[in-house]
Amino acid sequence: MKARPYLIALVLIVLVAGLLVVFRTPGGAPAQQQQRQEPSPQAAVEAGAGAGDAYYPTDGNSGYDVTLYDLAITYDPQSKQLKGVAKINATAVNDLSRFNLDLEGLQVSNVQVGDKPAKFAQEDEHELVITPASPLPKGKPFTAVVTYGGEPKTVESASLGRSGWQISSTGGAFAAGEPHSATSWFPANDTPRDKAALKLAANVPDGWTAVSNGLEGPATRQNGWTTFNWSEETPLAPYLITVAIDKFEVVRSKLPNGTPVLDAYAPGTSAQKKPIQAQLPDILSFLETKFGPYPQRAAGSIWVADQIGFSLETQTRPIYASWADLETVVHENAHQWFGDSVTISNWADICLNECLASYSQWLWLEKNGTNLDERYRGRVEELRSRSSFWAPKLYDMGKGNEFRGVYDKGIMAMHALRKQVGDDVFFKALQSWTAKHRDGNASWPEFENHFKQASGQQLDGFFQAWFHGSGIPEDQYLLPVGVRR
């Protein structure tokens, strides 16, 4: 994700004032629910409620592992109503008498597990608690089918504005946001630790187009409606799953190696954004020289006409705000390695995504002639006395602070690491990192250990000064030998 610059400044001002408040739209449980029950606290523990993230302890569920989200949705832009059937293939990790999915703001009308009706309850803001007709033994694959609907709600955040399901200024809608987005339009195990494949059939009125992740399948028309089919076999974290519905101009092409590319331009965006997006093949080719082979099966973009507060690395097909520029395209496509292919284990690890994707912007400038060492030294001198710049921690920064510092201090930290270990070690370590953890999850402590082993250096002091600490690093870490005059 790349946040709009003025919003980053606003967040810093608000945080200094101590007034940061996160607004959320209440889920609103339906007045009547079929087969509703009141589960006991003990059952919730047995089911592994929550996936263990310290910042969002009720997100996700550790009792099962999703392998596929097979989604069928119908969306009417005029009424703003969504109807959906989510078929979720999973395997029980524990013996499950019940389990939770996350869904916010939409009403569930029916749940089946296997071919039998299951009891369910919608609780708190986002918990869908499901009790199958018979317990699910550990190791058993199962399928849960959830029928649901309503008007999807937008998540309001003081740090990044609107996220989740959003109504576009051009009349359509799109889903994007971090750390939460998916559960505004389908039930999911909402933790980045549980990555799964995706199938999506999106039914919209004729004249509208639905774009999602991965590969495009044949579209079908019936009775004034068109169903667009998408599939992505490479596992995705839930927040990286998207759908965008608009009267898009769609442009199809291929990368030199044959990888399919699909770009979707909302009305009014194509004239300005096509020249930027046309550089995607060069961008991906360059990033491959730094990070290793492109790890996705498809590529492309979704350009919305809205001044949202961020662009997001939705897997294979980033969503771009109307303010997005060439550096944003570089940033979001670097995420296809850092964040999408190698996904964080916890939200405290977010620097694995944002610090590296942000540094890719500097690498692109370097490719085009910028001397990064001079740029770095100039920034150090400019920022030495600016305590607010150095204050954010880059690892385990605390809930609500995930996107402070990672876009600017994070760039400086990554260049300092590069200079500390040397170019050869730095880029070889990044490539071995993306290869080792491809399609999986990783943590920041693992990243530190990876670089210690790759460099043969004792880097504890360096990582403490730049990533764990708050404040300007000591000069030995601020100006490593490789960047000193």
Side-chain angles (χ1 to χ4, degrees):
M1 177 163 63
K2 184 179 179 184
R4 194 173 186 184
Y6 82 81
L7 285 172
I8 297 173
L10 177 61
V11 171
L12 292 175
I13 294 170
V14 173
L15 285 169
V16 169
L19 298 174
L20 181 62
V21 179
V22 178
F23 298 95
R24 300 196 66 178
T25 305
Q32 292 184 343
Q33 296 172 328
Q34 294 183 4
Q35 301 170 300
R36 182 177 177 87
Q37 67 166 11
E38 299 298 334
S40 68
Q42 182 180 3
V45 173
E46 291 171 355
D53 192 290
Y55 294 178
Y56 303 97
T58 63
D59 281 6
N61 189 304
S62 62
Y64 58 92
D65 174 38
V66 178
T67 55
L68 173 67
Y69 292 105
D70 189 350
L71 310 176
I73 65 169
T74 295
Y75 182 72
D76 183 357
Q78 183 172 0
S79 68
K80 300 180 175 60
Q81 293 293 306
L82 181 146
K83 297 178 181 179
V85 177
K87 181 179 178 182
I88 301 167
N89 295 344
T91 300
V93 175
N94 301 318
D95 293 330
L96 297 180
S97 59
R98 74 177 212 175
F99 60 94
N100 292 19
L101 289 165
D102 299 288
L103 180 67
E104 185 168 358
L106 297 171
Q107 298 182 359
V108 175
S109 58
N110 187 64
V111 177
Q112 289 190 320
V113 177
D115 57 356
K116 297 180 180 179
K119 296 180 180 180
F120 67 91
Q122 289 185 263
E123 300 178 347
D124 302 322
E125 287 187 337
H126 60 80
E127 298 292 344
L128 171 59
V129 185
I130 298 171
T131 304
S134 57
L136 302 171
K138 179 179 179 179
K140 177 181 175 61
F142 66 92
T143 299
V145 180
V146 181
T147 304
Y148 62 99
E151 182 176 342
K153 304 299 182 183
T154 301
V155 178
E156 299 285 355
S157 167
S159 59
L160 287 173
R162 300 165 68 87
S163 63
W165 189 270
Q166 301 189 56
I167 304 300
S168 176
S169 60
T170 50
F174 57 92
E178 189 178 8
H180 305 106
S181 172
T183 53
S184 65
W185 64 285
F186 71 93
N189 191 21
D190 198 15
T191 168
R193 299 181 190 181
D194 193 359
K195 301 169 69 170
L198 171 71
K199 289 183 180 179
L200 172 64
N203 192 37
V204 294
D206 288 348
W208 297 87
T209 300
V211 179
S212 185
N213 312 83
L215 299 178
E216 180 184 27
T220 59
R221 296 182 61 185
Q222 186 175 7
N223 299 326
W225 290 72
T226 304
T227 301
F228 294 88
N229 293 285
W230 296 89
S231 64
E232 172 60 339
E233 293 179 4
T234 305
L236 308 89
Y239 79 93
L240 298 171
I241 299 173
T242 189
V243 66
I245 298 160
D246 215 318
K247 295 182 178 181
F248 288 115
E249 178 184 348
V250 176
V251 178
R252 299 169 180 85
S253 60
K254 290 184 179 181
L255 298 177
N257 65 1
T259 299
V261 179
L262 185 143
D263 299 308
Y265 300 93
T269 65
S270 63
Q272 183 182 13
K273 303 306 182 182
K274 276 184 178 179
I276 298 174
Q277 188 63 24
Q279 299 187 57
L280 179 65
D282 290 340
I283 291 170
L284 292 179
S285 178
F286 169 71
L287 294 178
E288 285 188 313
T289 68
K290 302 299 182 182
F291 307 146
Y294 180 62
Q296 308 296 343
R297 299 166 61 246
S301 60
I302 300 170
W303 291 87
V304 300
D306 300 271
Q307 292 282 348
I308 56 174
F310 58 89
S311 295
L312 185 68
E313 62 272 19
T314 41
Q315 192 160 315
T316 71
R317 195 154 289 112
I319 287 184
Y320 296 106
S322 60
W323 52 262
D325 55 12
L326 179 60
E327 284 195 25
T328 308
V329 175
V330 174
H331 180 109
E332 302 307 339
N333 281 283
H335 273 308
Q336 302 306 311
W337 284 264
F338 302 109
D340 293 17
S341 178
V342 183
T343 303
I344 55 175
S345 296
N346 299 288
W347 287 103
D349 302 315
I350 194 64
C351 189
L352 287 177
N353 296 5
E354 300 301 343
C355 296
L356 286 159
S358 296
Y359 189 58
S360 73
Q361 299 170 220
W362 271 30
L363 296 178
W364 182 256
L365 294 176
E366 183 178 45
K367 170 185 179 291
N368 291 286
T370 299
N371 185 312
L372 292 189
D373 290 348
E374 290 183 2
R375 185 183 181 93
Y376 177 88
R377 286 190 293 264
R379 290 289 286 161
V380 167
E381 293 309 309
E382 176 188 351
L383 296 165
R384 269 189 183 275
S385 61
R386 194 181 301 175
S387 59
S388 61
F389 179 88
W390 305 103
K393 294 172 62 178
L394 296 177
Y395 169 63
D396 200 11
M397 60 288 290
K399 178 182 178 180
N401 298 321
E402 296 95 323
F403 302 107
R404 290 186 64 212
V406 290
Y407 301 112
D408 41 26
K409 181 182 174 182
I411 294 178
M412 301 283 284
M414 283 300 164
H415 192 67
L417 177 60
R418 174 182 172 183
K419 297 290 107 176
Q420 176 70 33
V421 301
D423 280 16
D424 186 60
V425 169
F426 181 77
F427 289 110
K428 283 183 177 178
L430 287 183
Q431 292 190 26
S432 59
W433 172 261
T434 59
K436 179 180 180 180
H437 296 286
R438 181 167 177 163
D439 298 340
N441 296 83
S443 70
W444 181 259
E446 289 177 292
F447 184 82
E448 291 188 4
N449 288 333
H450 184 78
F451 265 81
K452 291 175 188 177
Q453 293 172 9
S455 66
Q457 296 184 27
Q458 210 289 340
L459 295 172
D460 287 345
F462 178 91
F463 284 123
Q464 176 62 38
W466 271 107
F467 296 92
H468 296 260
S470 179
I472 189 169
E474 301 172 17
D475 273 1
Q476 62 176 313
Y477 305 123
L478 184 66
L479 295 169
V481 172
V483 78
R484 294 176 194 167
R485 291 188 184 275

